[in-house]
Amino acid sequence: MENIIKSIEEYLAQASANIKLVDQALTGMQGSYVELLTVLAIALLGVIPVIVPQKRRQVYRHLTQLFGIFIFIFVVYTCLGVFGMIRNFHRGLLEIGRENIIALYFCSVPVTILTVSMIFGPMFCGWICPTGAVQEFSSAIFGRWQRQRKREGYPFKKWMLVLSCVVISVFFAWVAYLGATRVFFVEDSSLYWSEILIILLLILMWRMREWDYKLRRLRILSFGIIAFAAVAGWRILSPVHFTFNKVYDPASMLTTIMVALTALAIPHIWCRYLCPWREAIAWAGKHSVRKLEKDEHSCVQCGTCNMSCKLDAVEYGDIDQRECHMCLRCVDHCPNGALKVVEKWKSEE
Amino acid sequence: METASAATRKRVFLSLLALHLAGYVWCGVTGWIAPFDLFNLILFAFNISAAVMLIRSRFDLWVGAGVMILITAHTFAGHQLAPDELTSGAILLTSILVLYVGMQINKYLPLKYWWVFVASFFALYAIFIHGLPNAEPLFILFLMGMVACARSLRLMAYFWALTLSFTVGQPYSWEAVFILFFILTALFSARSFARSKTTAIFLGVGMAVVFLVLLPIISAVFNMDLHNVGNVLSDLRVREAIWRTFYTATISTFVLIVFMIPFAYALSRLRFRGRTLILSLIDLPIVIPQSVAGMVLLQIFGRKQVLGGAIEQYLGIPVDGTVLGICLAQIFVALPFLTKSAVTAFDSVDEQLEVSARILGASSWSVFWRIACPLAGRGIFLGAVLAWARAAGEFGAVLIVAPSPETAPITAYNRFNSVGVYEAAPLVVVLLLFSVAMFFILQLVGHMIHQKAG
Amino acid sequence: MKEQLQIQNVSMRLGSFELKEFSLGLNRGDYFVLLGPSGCGKTTLLRTIAGVYQDYNGCVCIGGEDVNGIPPERRRIGYVSQSEDLFPHLNVRKNVAFGLRYTGWDRQEQEEQLQRIIEWMGISGLAEQFPKTLSGGESRRVALARALVVKPRVLLLDEPLGMLDPNARETMIDILKRIHRQTDTTTIHVTHDREEAWMLEGWCGVMMNGQLLQTGSVAEVFRQPGNRAVADFFGGTNIFEARFERRENGVYAMTEFSEFLVEQNVPHTEGAIQLRPETLTFGNSARAEPDRKTCFGKVDAVIRNVSDRGAYLRFETETDNQAELIVDAGHEYRRYAPGERVRLFCRSSPQPLTENTGTEEKSQPLKTG
């Protein structure tokens, strides 16, 4: 008996020597495990929407979002926000074959996000993304007013302009203060994005109905700019980046606050019009196995889903796959169970 | 299988759990694994929760069993091979993902996809474990990417294009990605209306060769450093050379257009003795080596020669060493491109249209101007673009006839001679940008002309 | 009598096409349908009139003036070729207006004429389209408009109904008739299709091998073809060689299986006759000798085959001398089956034909009016 065990042991030792699967720990820079932990966490979080019970699904979702904020803001130093992730992906790809550990360090988070999105659907946006979570939580404050505005077809009222002006004055006051106290660098370019956010806010306050879907194409532009900047070697910092950096970065912080403030008026304003990763994930979601689908027979065109969706991605059960965050709110709200998550392994080639 | 009863599910999953427990105890006793290691306990707890969830859900029996077996096996074998806990976790997670997707592909998709999946797995293994040194972590990463793309052959093709570019194709990885994605996109979009495999293969192979030839240019564009471009452009000599190239080429093309297009129309419409001879003589500047052409020109138009001397005397400027000489050399080498294109373009205009126009009352000049020229316009324009590009890029003949007021190619050559290829690189990039930009603008205009005529 | 178009003894050769001493005269406002098989020289004739081919022998006069040597742009002729030849780089309006700027009319007049023609042709909805997007019928109409807009002295139409579907043909024929009524332009309409000649109701001529063989109304040419070639062209069946004999009650044509009474005056003794299938009927063999009013000849035959042609039945019969006769009869003859022996009667006079293709018989310049 012992002989057999010993021979098996020897065989395994020999096999392990030969296989040489991983002979070195997947440590990142400076022996840190952060990115590996992130990969594990994202992958596990990606499974949560699949296995979570349908009852109280939204509660679980918010818990996951909180966990996502925790992971991204307090654990991850690598992803550098939405823009940095694209830049680092580019850098990581170039390191393949030279410094494989650095390549892993830079590529792991984007690859994991895209992989999860391509298999389990674009749920990163709705369940994990910290920027999305910040916007969702902040927009929940005025949730009732937002729903009412949507129901009335986005009318323009004067006090909305006042509200926008308050937001804008916060921005300008802060910029003025910063301009007086420190020198701006190219790195502070996330300010440009918050300026665009403000312009968007004004346009959308005034004519949300006409411009909503047209302006969503800005994301392509945003992605193009960031990708070009990555290839050209420019550094453009994103909102929420300040939390990853040990250095004092008020511009990024200001942009984060602007994202949260503008989301008070228009839910998910960053995701809708500017987020470059939203574009990439939308592409991945188009090829995803898991999709939301309407059951034509049980849908009664009641329009409950229209009101439940914070992204205006669903209209009487018809889902715009490019805009869907897969938060599954419409599924939970549907009185007839007409919306379902389906798995389609056969792709339409 | 799918409709396995609840009792069967319970039996299968619980017995797998029992297997794990038995193995755990056994290995703990024999000392193969550390029984109170946190990771091993977590794995066991993980398996328990998996079993509980799988029994209650309607998840596929076989995939569930596979996942549980994988966790069990990882406890006893995989974890022991891994250097530390987190790496081990990553390996386990990737293995579960691969197993899950592989089984689903085997179940729902044609067998072809399954074989592509398996072959890709081993190909990745070969590249990252055997091919590249210390690339094991990337194996996991690329495995995830492969798994995500596995359910569509088209995505798989793009995935492999990307993977090969960044592993085998380094240091030209982005160039390779660009080329391969372009070829794949062309092939996939062509397949929908041309069902012939032969033409698709021809297209793919032909494009590969074309891009290989163009690789230096694509590479230069990708590795462009915009910072240096500014420095080069601030050099007065370079700016003057570019401007000179621009206007001499434009003048040469204009001269060619004025004289050669009516000539081409006559060649296309008339049949006369010696026509074939003239058509072949037009091609002569293409076959003559450029330096030879320059010397031949110098022998006639040099300031010591009869004709050149006469020109200097009456025009007041000599031919060699002046802009006049540059233009002359450019006209000489660009002549065949414009003339030949124009003849072909006029040939393609239906003569019956001209007959109809004549009967409607148009004179022969009107027919040329209002029917033949607009209809041949696109061909003529493309010929003019070629002639312009040829004139602007002319080096050999211009170098011999007029080396002193520098055109852009000669500036590049002089810079190369004096400081070498690396120092000349920014200038090369600028000239490349200039030519490529001009070329694309002209092509775009040509395209618009065509659409208007369409 | 001043004729709008006068062609006298025009001969020319162009590859395999040729005109042999071709003569034709048309008055102002004539609509002349020129019939002929493919390759008989119709297009060559039109292009000679239009002035595309200049080196011919003979004389072409338009409006009384000899146009020899005058280039096509100064002849003021409308020509619609088979392939329409619309200018692909111009839209429909500019295509139609193309000829106007060479007319020398003032701008106002040009514009009015353009509007009028576009309305007549029913192409105002297509004015901004390009020829590429037009259907067959539409581009024909545009080509016709383009030719008519300059008020041509002679309009030459080369197969204007070719390659059109039946509905488009009907529309086009209506347009042609209406336009001819309104403008009264001398028109030559060239076609190879006999049906067209029937539908257009004009004067028609049959052309073969570069010669005009016969002219007259469509019914005349169809019912009384002058020679065998014309008869063949109009679907010649039941043509038999015959010898003509003058007797006291008329001229008889003797074929090898029977003899037939011929009403027309026949100048020659050798030739052929055509028995039109619809003029033949048959009955049982035991019928009395019919008189001249109802019967122009009779022959015994055996029915070989019957086929239903929709409006009538076609019987293929064979006489005792193995001569094959085609009979078209109404559906009341359905009871006759193949193999039955019948007696055929000729109900109207057979058409005497000259045997040859008519090379020695000069076609006379047509006089109409």
Side-chain angles (χ1 to χ4, degrees):
Chain A
M1 190 68 186
E2 244 169 61
N3 283 348
I4 297 170
I5 292 167
K6 209 164 241 170
S7 62
I8 290 173
E9 228 167 88
E10 269 169 26
Y11 171 74
L12 280 176
Q14 200 186 347
S16 68
N18 280 348
I19 287 175
K20 201 193 85 173
L21 184 63
V22 178
D23 61 2
Q24 185 187 0
L26 300 182
T27 46
M29 307 277 262
Q30 297 120 28
S32 143
Y33 282 105
V34 164
E35 59 284 343
L36 202 55
L37 203 62
T38 321
V39 172
L40 283 173
I42 294 172
L44 285 176
L45 287 174
V47 180
I48 286 177
V50 184
I51 60 172
V52 89
Q54 291 196 11
K55 222 167 146 191
R56 297 176 176 231
R57 179 150 49 189
Q58 294 306 320
V59 177
Y60 289 110
R61 186 167 75 85
H62 292 316
L63 287 176
T64 319
Q65 280 179 320
L66 284 175
F67 196 48
I69 291 178
F70 172 74
I71 286 184
F72 269 87
I73 296 197
F74 297 106
V75 180
V76 186
Y77 291 89
T78 55
C79 83
L80 294 172
V82 280
F83 299 169
M85 227 149 49
I86 292 172
R87 184 170 67 242
N88 286 353
F89 194 22
H90 165 70
R91 237 156 85 188
L93 283 174
L94 288 182
E95 289 297 336
I96 293 171
R98 270 174 279 180
E99 292 287 346
N100 291 327
I101 288 294
I102 294 176
L104 174 76
Y105 173 83
F106 283 141
C107 293
S108 54
V109 177
V111 167
T112 314
I113 290 175
L114 286 177
T115 306
V116 166
S117 301
M118 282 176 82
I119 295 175
F120 296 113
M123 53 186 36
F124 175 84
C125 290
W127 290 68
I128 303 164
C129 176
T131 318
V134 165
Q135 291 175 77
E136 195 167 342
F137 293 148
S138 90
S139 72
I141 299 169
F142 287 165
R144 184 181 292 175
W145 167 69
Q146 279 171 359
R147 275 195 295 279
Q148 193 194 336
R149 184 161 180 254
K150 187 172 175 177
R151 204 175 291 123
E152 289 166 4
Y154 300 108
F156 174 72
K157 284 174 189 147
K158 266 185 195 144
W159 61 269
M160 292 177 190
L161 196 68
V162 177
L163 183 87
S164 310
C165 288
V166 169
V167 173
I168 293 164
S169 56
V170 168
F171 173 75
F172 278 112
W174 197 322
V175 170
Y177 168 70
L178 287 177
T181 52
R182 59 173 261 148
V183 180
F184 280 103
F185 299 104
V186 185
E187 280 76 10
D188 295 322
S189 53
S190 60
L191 280 181
Y192 300 134
W193 262 258
S194 41
E195 281 162 21
I196 295 168
L197 269 179
I198 282 167
I199 296 167
L200 280 176
L201 180 73
L202 286 175
I203 296 175
L204 295 169
M205 273 294 155
W206 182 45
R207 284 275 184 275
M208 176 89 174
R209 208 211 271 275
E210 285 89 341
W211 285 97
D212 182 21
Y213 260 79
K214 286 176 195 160
L215 285 174
R216 291 187 192 204
R217 290 186 200 146
L218 276 177
R219 288 195 316 239
I220 301 171
L221 193 68
S222 168
F223 185 86
I225 290 171
I226 302 300
F228 181 78
V231 176
W234 300 340
R235 276 169 66 83
I236 298 179
L237 293 190
S238 49
V240 302
H241 165 257
F242 72 100
T243 43
F244 309 132
N245 229 330
K246 290 180 183 95
V247 295
Y248 172 58
D249 187 358
S252 170
M253 186 162 174
L254 169 61
T255 315
T256 313
I257 286 171
M258 288 313 297
V259 167
L261 279 180
T262 44
L264 284 176
I266 293 144
H268 288 284
I269 183 167
W270 174 260
C271 313
R272 283 186 193 213
Y273 308 109
L274 287 179
C275 182
W277 266 102
R278 178 62 219 145
E279 199 54 41
I281 290 172
W283 173 84
K286 206 176 71 181
H287 297 278
S288 139
V289 178
R290 280 163 62 87
K291 274 185 179 130
L292 277 180
E293 255 191 23
K294 174 172 81 163
D295 181 8
E296 294 285 351
H297 297 293
S298 33
C299 178
V300 294
Q301 306 276 317
C302 64
T304 312
C305 46
N306 303 15
M307 292 313 298
S308 71
C309 186
K310 293 208 166 185
L311 287 136
D312 299 343
V314 56
E315 202 166 302
Y316 297 104
D318 293 321
I319 288 149
D320 185 346
Q321 303 287 357
R322 283 182 63 80
E323 303 299 333
C324 177
H325 280 194
M326 229 161 171
C327 62
L328 305 182
R329 204 188 266 115
C330 51
V331 180
D332 292 339
H333 278 71
C334 184
N336 295 312
L339 286 160
K340 284 197 186 89
V341 181
V342 291
E343 286 202 8
K344 276 192 175 169
W345 283 91
K346 270 206 167 64
S347 64
E348 297 90 20
E349 282 193 306
Chain B
M1 280 190 296
E2 285 86 351
T3 54
S5 66
T8 321
R9 294 179 73 94
K10 204 169 188 169
R11 216 174 299 138
V12 168
F13 292 129
L14 283 182
S15 53
L16 283 173
L17 200 60
L19 192 73
H20 190 161
L21 186 65
Y24 196 60
V25 172
W26 173 260
C27 290
V29 169
T30 54
W32 169 249
I33 62 168
F36 298 109
D37 183 46
L38 180 65
F39 193 79
N40 288 336
L41 286 173
I42 287 176
L43 280 184
F44 187 56
F46 195 34
N47 223 353
I48 291 173
S49 55
V52 170
M53 242 165 356
L54 284 169
I55 288 170
R56 298 183 61 182
S57 74
R58 300 182 50 79
F59 202 70
D60 186 76
L61 181 70
W62 292 96
V63 179
V67 169
M68 284 188 65
I69 292 171
L70 206 61
I71 296 172
T72 311
H74 190 77
T75 320
F76 306 129
H79 182 51
Q80 306 307 314
L81 296 176
D84 58 36
E85 279 80 11
L86 277 175
T87 314
S88 168
I91 292 170
L92 176 63
L93 213 65
T94 319
S95 318
I96 290 175
L97 195 68
V98 171
L99 180 91
Y100 171 66
V101 174
M103 288 183 87
Q104 297 292 355
I105 280 173
N106 198 7
K107 188 175 166 189
Y108 290 108
L109 293 177
L111 207 57
K112 187 169 67 174
Y113 288 79
W114 165 248
W115 286 117
V116 169
F117 181 79
V118 172
S120 300
F121 182 88
F122 284 110
L124 283 177
Y125 186 85
I127 289 175
F128 287 102
I129 304 296
H130 286 297
L132 296 172
N134 296 326
E136 294 85 2
L138 290 178
F139 179 52
I140 291 174
L141 211 61
F142 275 84
L143 215 50
M144 284 167 74
M146 190 275 277
V147 159
C149 298
R151 53 187 280 277
S152 148
L153 290 181
R154 191 178 285 206
L155 281 178
M156 210 59 170
Y158 283 113
F159 168 77
W160 272 109
L162 191 80
T163 309
L164 289 176
S165 309
F166 281 103
T167 51
V168 186
Q170 296 277 16
Y172 300 113
S173 41
W174 279 114
E175 291 88 321
V177 168
F178 172 77
I179 292 169
L180 287 175
F181 273 33
F182 192 94
I183 292 177
L184 284 177
T185 310
L187 279 181
F188 285 133
S189 54
R191 206 175 54 179
S192 50
F193 55 88
R195 286 279 153 81
S196 154
K197 258 187 194 148
T198 317
T199 47
I201 291 170
F202 287 172
L203 179 69
V205 173
M207 274 167 69
V209 173
V210 166
F211 278 117
L212 216 59
V213 173
L214 295 182
L215 186 64
I217 295 172
I218 297 169
S219 177
V221 170
F222 267 98
N223 297 321
M224 209 162 48
D225 190 345
L226 290 174
H227 212 63
N228 281 334
V229 170
N231 286 345
V232 172
L233 276 179
S234 61
D235 186 349
L236 186 68
R237 203 172 122 195
V238 173
R239 279 215 307 266
E240 269 187 354
I242 288 179
W243 168 237
R244 190 173 295 119
T245 312
F246 182 80
Y247 79 77
T248 51
T250 310
I251 289 172
S252 309
T253 314
F254 184 73
V255 169
L256 282 174
I257 284 174
V258 168
F259 290 100
M260 284 301 123
I261 284 175
F263 178 56
Y265 183 65
L267 277 180
S268 167
R269 287 293 175 262
L270 300 177
R271 295 288 177 274
F272 53 92
R273 220 168 272 171
R275 181 174 175 273
T276 324
L277 182 69
I278 292 228
L279 279 177
S280 17
L281 280 180
I282 285 169
D283 282 340
L284 214 53
I286 294 180
V287 288
I288 294 178
Q290 292 170 14
S291 48
V292 175
M295 289 175 215
V296 172
L297 283 172
L298 208 56
Q299 276 176 15
I300 298 292
F301 294 105
R303 64 187 77 194
K304 301 245 169 58
Q305 312 301 326
V306 180
L307 198 52
I311 287 174
E312 185 179 3
Q313 198 179 340
Y314 292 113
L315 251 57
I317 45 167
V319 171
D320 53 329
T322 60
V323 171
L324 193 63
I326 297 176
C327 283
L328 196 68
Q330 286 177 343
I331 288 173
F332 184 84
V333 292
L335 175 104
F337 293 91
L338 181 67
T339 318
K340 266 294 163 68
S341 309
V343 169
T344 318
F346 282 126
D347 277 345
S348 71
V349 176
D350 189 0
E351 246 186 292
Q352 294 307 321
L353 292 180
E354 298 186 5
V355 168
S356 295
R358 286 295 291 276
I359 296 174
L360 283 169
S363 65
S364 47
W365 166 257
S366 284
V367 165
F368 168 70
W369 186 242
R370 295 187 66 202
I371 305 293
C373 278
L375 284 175
R378 184 173 151 74
I380 292 172
F381 183 81
L382 288 181
V385 168
L386 277 182
W388 190 91
R390 191 72 198 80
E394 174 53 29
F395 171 66
V398 174
L399 182 73
I400 287 170
V401 175
S404 71
E406 283 180 341
T407 59
I410 294 174
T411 312
Y413 176 71
N414 289 344
R415 187 66 66 93
F416 168 70
N417 263 351
S418 56
V419 291
V421 70
Y422 286 107
E423 302 294 312
L427 177 67
V428 167
V429 168
V430 169
L431 295 184
L432 201 65
L433 269 183
F434 170 67
S435 333
V436 169
M438 280 310 290
F439 193 71
F440 274 107
I441 289 169
L442 292 173
Q443 290 283 347
L444 203 68
V445 175
H447 197 70
M448 277 152 66
I449 285 181
H450 182 61
Q451 285 193 332
K452 205 180 153 211
Chain C
M1 185 159 159
K2 193 179 168 188
E3 285 166 340
Q4 182 72 358
L5 176 68
Q6 178 78 39
I7 302 168
Q8 269 171 7
N9 300 330
V10 168
S11 307
M12 76 164 292
R13 213 184 159 77
L14 192 89
S16 59
F17 304 111
E18 59 177 339
L19 297 176
K20 295 175 197 155
E21 304 257 318
F22 192 95
S23 297
L24 178 69
L26 290 179
N27 279 334
R28 200 179 159 74
D30 281 344
Y31 195 101
F32 184 67
V33 180
L34 187 60
L35 273 163
S38 308
C40 72
K42 294 169 300 191
T43 304
T44 313
L45 174 69
L46 293 193
R47 292 178 157 243
T48 308
I49 297 171
V52 181
Y53 307 135
Q54 296 272 7
D55 43 349
Y56 54 86
N57 299 319
C59 171
V60 176
C61 296
I62 298 170
E65 115 191 82
D66 188 353
V67 292
N68 197 359
I70 294 181
E73 63 261 31
R74 295 223 302 275
R75 291 191 179 193
R76 246 183 76 207
I77 278 180
Y79 175 58
V80 179
S81 76
Q82 245 166 317
S83 52
E84 297 122 20
D85 292 334
L86 297 180
F87 306 128
H89 60 298
L90 302 176
N91 66 16
V92 166
R93 176 185 297 279
K94 286 181 180 163
N95 255 295
V96 175
F98 185 86
L100 280 176
R101 70 159 56 191
Y102 307 109
T103 52
W105 304 338
D106 62 45
R107 193 153 288 252
Q108 170 108 27
E109 205 177 343
Q110 286 184 17
E111 195 57 37
E112 276 169 13
Q113 172 72 355
L114 179 64
Q115 283 308 329
R116 187 159 55 232
I117 289 289
I118 283 182
E119 244 162 64
W120 275 359
M121 288 295 161
I123 50 174
S124 41
L126 313 169
E128 302 308 320
Q129 287 188 33
F130 280 88
K132 203 161 62 174
T133 62
L134 300 179
S135 73
E138 285 166 353
S139 41
R140 281 303 147 83
R141 273 185 276 160
V142 174
L144 190 58
R146 190 179 66 175
L148 275 171
V149 81
V150 295
K151 295 184 180 165
R153 295 185 289 184
V154 178
L155 182 62
L156 308 172
L157 306 173
D158 196 352
E159 304 266 7
L161 307 183
M163 312 285 283
L164 292 184
D165 62 85
N167 287 338
R169 281 167 81 101
E170 295 285 338
T171 322
M172 195 66 195
I173 283 173
D174 285 346
I175 288 175
L176 285 173
K177 283 182 183 169
R178 200 180 68 224
I179 290 298
H180 185 245
R181 245 192 343 264
Q182 277 164 341
T183 62
D184 212 29
T185 312
T186 312
T187 307
I188 299 183
H189 175 132
V190 153
T191 177
H192 68 272
D193 190 346
R194 304 184 300 270
E195 301 292 321
E196 270 181 50
W198 278 106
M199 289 191 276
L200 285 160
E201 305 162 351
W203 284 93
C204 92
V206 179
M207 184 176 178
M208 264 174 217
N209 292 324
Q211 279 178 306
L212 196 59
L213 294 186
Q214 192 178 358
T215 54
S217 74
V218 186
E220 246 172 65
V221 176
F222 180 68
R223 299 226 168 79
Q224 297 158 14
N227 60 44
R228 201 163 168 171
V230 177
D232 273 335
F233 179 68
F234 275 105
T237 49
N238 294 355
I239 297 172
F240 303 102
E241 284 176 21
R243 206 156 38 75
F244 298 103
E245 254 182 50
R246 181 169 291 278
R247 299 186 191 158
E248 69 273 18
N249 54 351
V251 180
Y252 278 81
M254 320 289 287
T255 63
E256 57 182 17
F257 53 88
S258 183
E259 55 177 42
F260 296 94
L261 182 61
V262 180
E263 274 186 335
Q264 289 96 329
N265 202 9
V266 184
H268 40 264
T269 55
E270 293 288 325
I273 54 166
Q274 182 181 25
L275 303 162
R276 300 208 67 83
E278 66 271 20
T279 63
L280 293 174
T281 58
F282 52 83
N284 291 326
S285 305
R287 185 100 183 243
E289 183 88 1
D291 62 51
R292 179 175 167 163
K293 282 224 169 98
T294 58
C295 177
F296 292 80
K298 59 181 192 291
V299 60
D300 289 336
V302 178
I303 298 174
R304 288 284 171 235
N305 191 21
V306 186
S307 55
D308 194 338
R309 294 297 176 91
Y312 56 90
L313 295 174
R314 170 157 286 196
F315 293 84
E316 292 165 29
T317 65
E318 194 180 321
T319 64
D320 299 339
N321 318 44
Q322 272 84 41
E324 284 178 14
L325 274 161
I326 307 283
V327 182
D328 289 344
H331 281 274
E332 65 269 23
Y333 285 82
R334 186 171 286 285
R335 63 198 154 90
Y336 291 92
E340 211 163 327
R341 196 169 174 81
V342 291
R343 173 162 293 179
L344 306 180
F345 300 106
C346 188
R347 289 280 175 203
S348 68
S349 168
Q351 174 65 29
L353 307 168
T354 49
E355 175 57 40
N356 41 49
T357 55
T359 31
E360 77 269 26
E361 191 192 32
K362 291 262 168 61
S363 37
Q364 297 299 310
L366 179 71
K367 294 278 190 286
T368 59

